[in-house]
Amino acid sequence: MTSPGTALAAGAPALVLVLVALGSAAVRADLSAKDFGAGLGRPLPSFLKICKRHDPNLNECIKEAVEQLRPHLTEGILELGIPSCEPLLIPEVVVNQGSGAVTVTSVYRNLRVYGPSQFVLKNIKVDLEKNRVRVRLFLPKLSMDSDYFLQGRILMLPIQGHGHSSGNYTNIEATATMTGQRVIRGGREYMDVKEFLVDFQIGHASVHLGNLFDGDQELGEIMNKFLNENWRSVAREVQPILEDTIAELFKTFANKIYHMYPLDVLLPE
Ligand SMILES: *[C@@H]1O[C@H](CO)[C@@H](O)[C@H](O)[C@H]1NC(C)=O
C-alpha cells in the first residue's frame, strides 16, 4: 500500500524551507484551513510516496518521497492548497526593523522567486518520539524581484525609495527544525506544529533597488553600490527578524497540511 501522507508531511517543511532564502519577512498568506480533518474523505494525491511509521529507514524513505514530490511542488498541488513554487509568488512581505544598524520600514509586493524548486535535500531527520523533524537544505541560487517601498537608515545612511527591486542569492544553506504535539480531534490523532525554527546562511547576495531617492540616479547608484559592498552586514542585521518570520510562515503552512489529515493517514503504522 502506498500512501502519500508522509511524503507530504516531510515535503511541507522542505517546500516552505525554500522560502528561507528570500531574505524577506512577515509573509502574509491565506492559510485559513484550520479545520482538523478537512482532507478526510478525499483521497491523497497518488504521486505521494508513503512511508511507514516504523520503517527502519524512515529518514531515507521521506527523503525519497520529497524527491518524488519535487516536480509536483514546482507546478503546485491544487488539491492540497500548495501553490506553484516555480516561480514562487508572494503577494506581500513586510520588514519593519526598529533598532540596530538597520532601521527600516519596508514593504515588498508581488514577489516572484525563481529557483526554489532546485533545492538539494542534504538531510532529513525524523524523531517520532519527540515529534520533531529536522531538515537541512542547500539552494544553489534564488533570484527574486518585486515592487518595493523602503524608508529608514541602513548602516547609518538614510535611505528611501519605491519602485522595482531585484536580487540574486547564491549558495544558501538552511536548517529548519519543527517540533509538534499530538492532538485528538474527532477521535483521531493529528500533529500540531508548536515550534518552527529556521536558520540560514547566504553564500552571496547581489541586489538592486530601482528608483531610490525619488529617481535621483547618482544617489541611487551610490546607494546600490554601498548595499552590495555591505550586503553581509545588512543581512546580519535583518537575519533574526527574517528567520522568525519565515519560521512563522512555515509553521502555518505545515499545520495546514498536518491538520488536514490524521497522523495514521500521513504516517501509517
Ligand atoms: C541576477 O542575475 C541575472 C542573471 O545572471 C542578471 O541578469 C541580473 O542582473 C542579476 N541581478 C542582480 C540584482 O544582481
Side-chain angles (χ1 to χ4, degrees):
M1 191 186 92
T2 57
S3 156
T6 300
L8 186 61
L15 168 70
V16 219
L17 243 187
V18 298
L19 286 168
V20 154
L22 287 184
S24 50
V27 179
R28 277 188 219 161
D30 177 22
L31 301 169
S32 56
K34 284 215 160 53
D35 294 342
F36 285 91
L40 282 172
R42 270 188 282 146
L44 286 160
S46 56
F47 50 77
L48 292 176
K49 176 183 165 71
I50 253 304
C51 304
K52 295 277 179 68
R53 200 173 295 199
H54 301 296
D55 184 339
N57 298 312
L58 182 61
N59 295 327
E60 210 39 52
C61 179
I62 288 180
K63 200 172 165 194
E64 279 170 28
V66 174
E67 284 302 338
Q68 282 187 21
L69 203 57
R70 182 196 302 269
H72 302 277
L73 291 178
T74 305
E75 286 170 28
I77 307 169
L78 212 65
E79 57 268 55
L80 296 175
I82 296 177
S84 160
C85 77
E86 202 59 77
L88 184 68
L89 303 174
I90 302 175
E92 184 175 270
V93 174
V94 179
V95 184
N96 289 330
Q97 170 121 329
S99 63
V102 175
T103 55
V104 289
T105 304
S106 58
V107 184
Y108 303 86
R109 293 213 173 96
N110 305 318
L111 265 132
R112 280 181 304 222
V113 187
Y114 298 87
S117 68
Q118 301 304 308
F119 68 85
V120 179
L121 270 181
K122 307 277 270 199
N123 186 262
I124 292 188
K125 208 168 159 198
V126 181
D127 185 332
L128 283 173
E129 249 165 61
K130 292 181 176 149
N131 297 319
R132 194 167 66 198
V133 181
R134 183 166 291 158
V135 183
R136 279 205 305 124
L137 282 185
F138 175 75
L139 287 147
K141 179 175 179 182
L142 289 181
S143 297
M144 172 176 131
D145 65 69
S146 74
D147 302 320
Y148 82 96
F149 164 88
L150 190 153
Q151 187 165 33
R153 280 174 173 272
I154 292 181
L155 309 177
M156 316 287 273
L157 295 186
I159 181 170
Q160 59 102 354
H162 56 92
H164 186 254
S165 74
S166 60
N168 294 321
Y169 307 84
T170 51
N171 298 331
I172 299 146
E173 306 264 5
T175 308
T177 309
M178 184 176 82
T179 312
Q181 65 176 14
R182 299 181 193 209
V183 297
I184 307 288
R185 292 287 183 282
R188 303 193 63 170
E189 190 180 49
Y190 292 85
M191 183 65 77
D192 180 49
V193 178
K194 279 294 175 221
E195 187 182 61
F196 210 120
L197 299 174
V198 168
D199 180 338
F200 64 89
Q201 221 86 65
I202 300 171
H204 190 258
S206 162
V207 296
H208 186 260
L209 296 174
N211 200 47
L212 278 171
F213 307 108
D214 299 314
D216 184 319
Q217 289 288 345
E218 205 178 336
L219 263 185
E221 263 172 47
I222 291 169
M223 182 49 94
N224 271 300
K225 190 159 179 282
F226 177 79
L227 286 178
N228 282 291
E229 279 165 1
N230 294 284
W231 74 266
R232 213 173 272 283
S233 317
V234 177
R236 196 182 307 126
E237 289 294 319
V238 293
Q239 183 121 356
I241 213 178
L242 295 183
E243 287 172 345
D244 285 356
T245 326
I246 291 161
E248 195 54 37
L249 172 76
F250 294 172
K251 183 178 155 185
T252 311
F253 196 91
N255 269 334
K256 182 174 171 167
I257 289 162
Y258 282 128
H259 292 181
M260 203 180 282
Y261 297 100
L263 211 50
D264 59 4
V265 174
L266 293 177
L267 206 62
E269 288 285 342

